[in-house]
């Protein structure tokens, strides 16, 4: 999101004065903005879609914005991803896993959780204790390092 935020800030520097007055923004202005984003080579479609969500938000939040937001629904309600140029792809093209395969996998998964969950939780507790012990050792080493550096300075003086 940092890249999107950075791109938005840079884009607003190039906006015309009509962009600052949301009452003057119309669909043709948003079309030019979308075309500009799509033509920019460094902007991937996912970033374009995220940036195009801003006009949708300005419309959705119009009753709560002091400027009034956008009075019209951008792109007649088309999704930002579609406006960004994504092609429609069916949501799930993966074929269903056959019952003969999924049944043993689910049975093993349930067995794994029921039989080994106590061991997994015990291992997590043991790991937390070991990490806490390690943190204490590192802290003690840092104190010793400071003491040794004092001794090293003393040797240099002699």
């Amino acid at each position: 999101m940092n890249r999107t935020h950075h791109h938005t800030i840079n884009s607003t520097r190039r906006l015309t004065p009509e962009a600052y007055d949301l009452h003057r923004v119309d669909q043709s202005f948003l079309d030019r903005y979308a075309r500009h984003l799509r033509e920019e080579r460094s902007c991937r479609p996912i970033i374009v879609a995220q940036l195009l969500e801003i006009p949708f938000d300005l419309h959705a939040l119009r009753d709560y914005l002091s400027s009034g937001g956008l009075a019209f629904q951008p792109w007649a309600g088309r999704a930002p991803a579609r406006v960004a140029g994504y092609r429609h792809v069916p949501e799930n093209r993966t074929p269903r896993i056959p019952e003969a395969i999924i049944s043993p996998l689910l049975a093993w998964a349930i067995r794994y959780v029921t039989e080994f969950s106590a061991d997994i939780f015990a291992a997590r507790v043991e790991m937390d204790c070991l990490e806490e012990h390690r943190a204490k050792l590192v802290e003690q080493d840092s104190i010793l390092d400071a003491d040794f550096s004092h001794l090293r300075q003393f040797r240099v003086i002699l």
Side-chain angles (χ1 to χ4, degrees):
M1 279 310 271
N2 288 338
R3 182 176 177 192
T4 303
H5 179 69
H6 177 70
H7 189 282
T8 303
I9 290 171
N10 285 339
S11 295
T12 57
R13 290 182 183 140
R14 297 187 298 259
L15 292 176
T16 60
E18 69 182 343
Y20 295 109
D21 182 5
L22 292 178
H23 298 290
R24 296 178 63 191
V25 173
D26 59 4
Q27 187 59 59
S28 65
F29 177 82
L30 292 179
D31 290 339
R32 289 192 312 269
Y33 176 62
R35 189 171 35 257
H36 164 74
L37 292 175
R38 285 192 305 264
E39 290 172 356
E40 190 168 309
R41 295 192 194 285
S42 65
C43 218
R44 297 180 327 195
I46 186 70
I47 302 298
V48 173
Q50 290 172 348
L51 290 169
L52 291 179
E53 287 179 10
I54 296 169
F56 287 90
D57 292 342
L58 290 172
H59 173 70
L61 300 172
R62 66 190 176 280
D63 295 335
Y64 306 100
L65 297 171
S66 59
S67 64
L70 293 179
F72 63 95
Q73 188 174 22
W75 295 286
R78 286 177 41 215
R82 297 290 299 256
V83 177
Y86 275 27
R87 293 188 191 101
H88 177 68
V89 177
E91 186 174 322
N92 189 357
R93 297 185 307 185
T94 306
R96 182 182 164 121
I97 299 173
E99 280 298 316
I101 295 172
I102 197 69
S103 292
L105 290 175
L106 287 174
W108 176 249
I110 291 170
R111 181 176 178 217
Y112 184 83
V113 169
T114 56
E115 290 188 23
F116 301 121
S117 61
D119 293 335
I120 293 169
F121 288 125
R124 181 71 225 181
V125 169
E126 184 179 354
M127 185 173 160
D128 290 343
C129 290
L130 290 170
E131 287 176 347
E132 184 179 325
H133 181 67
R134 180 185 127 338
K136 288 178 184 176
L137 291 174
V138 168
E139 184 180 334
Q140 290 172 357
D141 282 350
S142 66
I143 294 169
L144 289 175
D145 284 344
D147 291 342
F148 284 128
S149 67
H150 177 68
L151 289 175
R152 280 187 230 122
Q153 289 174 357
F154 183 70
R155 284 186 197 156
V156 171
I157 295 173
L158 294 176

